[in-house]
Amino acid sequence: MRADAKKNYDHLLAVARAVVKEQGADASLRDVARRADVGLGTLYRHFPTREALLEALLRTALDDMTAQASELETSSAPDDALVTWLRDAVAFTRNYHGITALMVAALDDPKSALHASCVTVRAAGTRLLTRAQAEGKARSDIDGTELFALIAALAWLGDQPSIGKRADHLFEIVTSAILTDRASSGGPARRRPRTRS
């Protein structure tokens, strides 16, 4: 890619990232093109579909999540590694409203532009879960697909205005249910005061 084309591509991505963070996964591509001061045709030349644009936006973040999982496998205790990664995964999905539905659908659609990245992230989370299970730190009746579904559910809960303020408390409840020692010992999550509204 020529230097000027790369500059234009990076500019489009930066503008698209801002628009998608404001409007969510259904953001107007016309708004992206308008704010980037290019024609819609130019946008489509770089990103022929909405999914192609979202994949380009999310690829770096998804790659970072995969790399983080690998690092946590060697640097943290199995239960701490899993909770840290889960918390960051939920935070990531909440940055892009509506992206979780696309990510879940992409898992089962090899033709999706997001398929490879989502499969790789799910595999990374599965490794952390399997490691925690092998150490007796996580319940054995959950798999990587269900873990991925919990991330999507927690992200959705956090996006709901009426219950979003309880998102951290709900996260603690879910992780306490996944991790055997926290569920049985009534660890910090159980002692956390409940916020009333």
Side-chain angles (χ1 to χ4, degrees), residues 8-194:
N8 291 338
Y9 178 88
D10 290 344
H11 174 63
L12 273 174
L13 269 186
V15 171
R17 182 170 288 109
V19 173
V20 171
K21 281 190 175 183
E22 287 173 19
Q23 300 180 13
D26 293 328
S28 165
L29 297 185
R30 288 188 183 280
D31 277 357
V32 173
R34 181 180 51 78
R35 290 196 204 181
D37 201 26
V38 299
L40 199 54
T42 299
L43 178 66
Y44 281 123
R45 274 197 299 279
H46 286 286
F47 308 106
T49 65
R50 175 185 304 278
E51 226 180 19
L53 174 61
L54 290 171
E55 193 277 335
L57 280 176
L58 301 176
R59 186 186 315 124
T60 299
L62 292 172
D63 288 348
D64 287 347
M65 284 174 57
T66 300
Q68 180 197 26
S70 297
E71 180 182 320
L72 287 167
E73 280 184 87
T74 58
S75 66
S76 298
D79 52 346
D80 291 338
L82 182 59
V83 171
T84 297
W85 188 84
L86 273 174
R87 189 181 306 281
D88 290 348
V90 171
F92 158 72
T93 57
R94 289 190 64 201
N95 277 336
Y96 296 97
H97 175 71
I99 197 63
T100 51
L102 292 174
M103 291 174 68
V104 170
L107 285 171
D108 295 324
D109 182 7
K111 294 180 181 177
S112 165
L114 293 169
H115 178 74
S117 295
C118 290
V119 167
T120 301
V121 166
R122 180 179 61 183
T126 300
R127 285 195 310 273
L128 292 175
L129 173 63
T130 302
R131 177 175 172 243
Q133 289 169 330
E135 295 289 327
K137 299 291 187 180
R139 57 193 298 162
S140 60
D141 61 344
I142 181 173
D143 63 19
T145 298
E146 291 166 336
L147 188 71
F148 199 89
L150 287 173
I151 293 168
L154 286 164
W156 180 86
L157 286 169
D159 283 339
Q160 306 313 303
S162 62
I163 53 177
K165 58 189 157 195
R166 298 176 185 231
D168 289 339
H169 179 66
L170 294 170
F171 178 87
E172 298 294 349
I173 290 172
V174 169
T175 53
S176 290
I178 294 171
L179 299 176
T180 54
D181 59 342
R182 295 187 191 195
S184 61
S185 68
R190 299 265 177 169
R191 292 193 303 267
R192 184 179 183 140
R194 182 174 178 180

